Amino acid sequence: MLSQILIQGFLLSGLYGLLAVGFTMIFSVGRVLNLAFGANIMIGGYVYFALAQEAALPKLPSFIGAVLAGVAFGVVTYLILVRRFRDDPIAVEISTLILAVVMQALIVMIFSPAPRSMWPLLPGVAHIYGVAVSLNIVLATVVSWVVLGGLLVFVHKTHLGRAIRAVSMDPKGATISGIDPRQISLVTWGLSGALGAMAGVFLATYTQLDPGMWVFPLITAVAVVIVGGIGSIIGSLIAAHIIGFMETITTTVIAAELRGVFTMLLIIIVLLVVPKGLFGREEI
Amino acid sequence: MALLEITDLEVFYGKARSLHGVSLEVGAGKIVAIIGPNGAGKSTLLDSIVGLTKRTGRIVFDGTDLSRMRAPQIVSLGIGYAPERGNLFPFMGVKENLLVGAYRARKEIDKNLRMVFDLFPVLEERRNQETRTQSGGERQMVSLGRALMSSPKLLLVDEPTMGLAPRVCLDIAAALRDLNARLGLTIVITEQNVNFAMNLAQEVYLLETGRIRLKGTPDELRHEKYIVETYFGA
């Protein structure tokens, strides 16, 4: 049972890391919560489904198409909605939540409300230390970690990545260094959209495609960034592991139905004891 | 020839007017000081030059009208700004802070980094230290260094001695003099410390309640009755 918990927990944490980092980047740079992040997840899943299963395109181009759809959705959301409300975080949060609901309705109109089964990205089962794990989940975890590793290198080692961190720490300091925070926000919304869509493809192949599939991942992303500390990539990654392992232990040892309950309890405890999160610092 | 010309600058924060028709000129290669009490509008004036406020009037830098330009474009024209609070990136090390300053001058990173480290050797020793853990004096040096990383023709420095020990103030003054004398850098500083400003600058403006009240050379203003009574307490 221990090896099952370790392996499943590690696999789940990679996916949660992808969700949380995509979500926290927006807050860190723009100081707003993007509640349409769930729509990115949904769009990723459905675009991949349309391309790979309905249009019968190969998996890799379909995956890239889904990620690009996520980028486009993030960028358009920023340009059309968020930029106009940039001085009003509440307006951004309400409007992005409404956008997510509208996108869900559109998805229902186009694809019907019925859940759809997705083919795995990689069929088959691997046995790791005696635990049977689908290759699809292993692939999702490996890709998630490669992407997250690449993202960490990007934000620490490139001028653009450093500019994103600079805006997240001090927008005025960044501006007088010649960085345009609006351009950085645009890049960040695009990146976040890509991460959300990628997570959407993985989640859909991990569970199933469903117009309501955006709600639980959004709650999970919020939970991870609250526990990790809003705005911190490293904090989010550590919190993703805490929550990923906690949910795996709950599912394996207690009852799968209680999985989300313990996550919510953890949020409340963290908010009461360390309101800034376990690794809270307002930067990427 | 004036490198910077400001004419009838007005700045409002909501309905409150912060600057009232401010006009001034800064000659190329000069050090100009804007002195005045807290709340006079000194920081607002520098913020306005780099496009951080909503303003009316005319600001011309090196022949280019800045009035409709945004801050990042203005910085890329060659204006470096070290604001009063530093506005550093607290969780980045010294070198990373400096590299952000080079965002618009990437081809000159090595040269400018060397220049900043030569000017403030302590920064090279502490290149990886996060700026949130540094002393006020070191943070001021990082702030100046970051502004210099953009290869500016004009350096704006807001209250460089605020809260610093006298020894550090002297170091900052020496660095600014060196930049002006050796590189011909034009510098505008704002200061409440009138002695510091008068010892450093070749021309001084007195700004009070958003208006230019007096201007002249340090020698002229040292004998101005209003300055003597108000700022030297004599």
Side-chain angles (χ1 to χ4, degrees):
Chain A
M1 187 185 280
L2 182 63
S3 52
Q4 186 183 349
I5 288 171
L6 285 174
I7 291 162
Q8 297 282 10
F10 182 70
L11 295 174
L12 191 61
S13 303
L15 192 56
Y16 282 2
L18 207 58
L19 284 172
V21 170
F23 185 70
T24 203
M25 282 182 83
I26 300 277
F27 180 83
S28 195
V29 168
R31 295 290 187 270
V32 291
L33 294 177
N34 171 25
L35 298 181
F37 184 66
N40 278 108
I41 294 165
M42 188 168 53
I43 285 168
Y46 274 93
V47 169
Y48 179 80
F49 171 78
L51 295 176
Q53 288 184 217
E54 295 204 327
L57 291 177
K59 288 175 182 174
L60 183 61
S62 301
F63 183 76
I64 293 170
V67 172
L68 290 178
V71 172
F73 182 72
V75 166
V76 169
T77 304
Y78 174 74
L79 289 176
I80 293 180
L81 211 59
V82 178
R83 204 169 59 169
R84 294 167 198 274
F85 294 130
R86 66 180 184 276
D87 294 328
D88 189 347
I90 301 292
V92 170
E93 282 145 26
I94 291 171
S95 59
T96 51
L97 183 61
I98 291 169
L99 179 63
V101 174
V102 169
M103 291 308 295
Q104 180 179 358
L106 278 175
I107 292 285
V108 168
M109 281 171 63
I110 297 168
F111 294 95
S112 93
R116 309 288 186 105
S117 289
M118 291 266 284
W119 302 329
L121 290 161
L122 192 61
V125 175
H127 292 272
I128 307 171
Y129 292 105
V131 179
V133 183
S134 83
L135 285 175
N136 185 55
I137 297 175
V138 174
L139 177 70
T141 306
V142 171
V143 174
S144 296
W145 278 107
V146 168
V147 168
L148 289 170
L151 189 70
L152 283 174
V153 171
F154 168 71
V155 298
H156 283 93
K157 298 293 179 193
T158 67
H159 285 288
L160 184 57
R162 218 178 272 122
I164 291 174
R165 287 167 59 222
V167 172
S168 80
M169 289 182 216
D170 195 309
K172 180 178 174 179
T175 304
I176 61 172
S177 301
I179 296 164
D180 187 342
R182 291 198 294 198
Q183 279 178 5
I184 295 300
S185 288
L186 189 64
V187 170
T188 310
W189 278 78
L191 269 175
S192 171
L195 296 177
M198 215 176 280
V201 177
F202 295 150
L203 273 172
T205 57
Y206 182 54
T207 54
Q208 64 179 5
L209 206 54
D210 175 339
M213 65 182 284
W214 61 278
V215 179
F216 186 73
L218 178 65
I219 293 170
T220 304
V222 173
V224 171
V225 297
I226 287 175
V227 172
I230 288 178
S232 166
I233 283 188
I234 300 292
S236 293
L237 290 178
I238 296 170
H241 279 77
I242 294 172
I243 290 179
F245 275 95
M246 201 176 70
E247 290 194 357
T248 306
I249 292 167
T250 309
T251 307
T252 313
V253 180
I254 307 172
E257 295 76 20
L258 293 176
R259 192 175 75 155
V261 174
F262 284 101
T263 305
M264 296 304 125
L265 282 175
L266 181 65
I267 291 180
I268 292 168
I269 291 167
V270 167
L271 285 174
L272 283 173
V273 181
V274 269
K276 276 192 157 185
L278 298 180
F279 310 92
R281 50 192 241 184
E282 289 184 348
E283 58 101 16
I284 288 181
Chain B
M1 187 189 133
L3 182 66
L4 178 73
E5 280 182 79
I6 298 175
T7 313
D8 283 334
L9 180 65
E10 307 250 335
V11 176
F12 287 84
Y13 288 116
K15 288 183 179 174
R17 185 151 52 169
S18 179
L19 293 180
H20 302 254
V22 168
S23 298
L24 59 85
E25 277 191 10
V26 178
K30 300 271 186 192
I31 300 181
V32 172
I34 318 287
I35 59 171
N38 203 15
K42 302 187 298 297
S43 300
T44 302
L45 175 58
L46 297 194
D47 280 359
S48 301
I49 295 170
V50 293
L52 294 175
T53 60
K54 285 185 180 169
R55 61 216 194 274
T56 62
R58 193 171 150 82
I59 303 175
V60 177
F61 169 69
D62 204 13
T64 304
D65 187 350
L66 308 183
S67 307
R68 291 181 182 277
M69 293 175 78
R70 297 180 58 239
Q73 296 168 284
I74 293 173
V75 171
S76 64
L77 290 176
I79 299 182
Y81 184 20
E84 179 187 335
R85 297 185 191 284
N87 292 95
L88 299 177
F89 312 117
F91 297 100
M92 285 188 193
V94 169
K95 188 181 171 190
E96 272 207 296
N97 267 272
L98 297 176
L99 290 177
V100 173
Y103 189 72
R104 299 254 174 186
R106 295 177 202 178
K107 288 181 182 165
E108 290 156 1
I109 285 179
D110 290 342
K111 185 190 80 178
N112 287 337
L113 206 52
R114 190 67 262 148
M115 185 252 293
V116 172
F117 285 156
D118 286 344
L119 198 62
F120 303 116
V122 68
L123 297 187
E124 186 163 23
E125 289 163 24
R126 300 182 180 185
R127 58 201 293 153
N128 296 320
Q129 186 179 349
E130 289 185 349
T131 53
R132 69 190 166 119
T133 64
Q134 289 191 297
S135 68
E138 286 166 358
R139 283 204 294 270
Q140 183 60 264
M141 291 173 197
V142 178
S143 178
L144 282 169
R146 188 182 64 186
L148 292 169
M149 290 297 290
S150 63
S151 299
K153 297 176 202 162
L154 170 65
L155 178 65
L156 308 176
V157 190
D158 194 11
E159 306 259 12
T161 66
M162 175 77 91
L164 300 184
R167 175 70 244 170
V168 182
C169 294
L170 290 175
D171 290 344
I172 299 286
L176 293 174
R177 267 195 208 98
D178 183 44
L179 287 167
N180 176 252
R182 195 160 48 87
L183 306 177
L185 187 62
T186 308
I187 299 172
V188 175
I189 67 160
T190 65
E191 258 306 334
Q192 286 188 61
N193 181 340
V194 175
N195 263 324
F196 178 90
M198 296 238 188
N199 286 332
L200 186 65
Q202 292 127 16
E203 196 161 343
V204 178
Y205 287 82
L206 172 63
L207 185 69
E208 285 186 340
T209 59
R211 294 177 177 82
I212 298 289
R213 183 171 178 132
L214 290 169
K215 74 167 197 175
T217 64
D219 281 344
E220 286 166 352
L221 292 190
R222 272 197 185 96
H223 298 101
E224 188 70 42
K225 190 177 172 218
Y226 180 76
I227 294 268
V228 171
E229 286 177 354
T230 312
Y231 292 92
F232 294 122

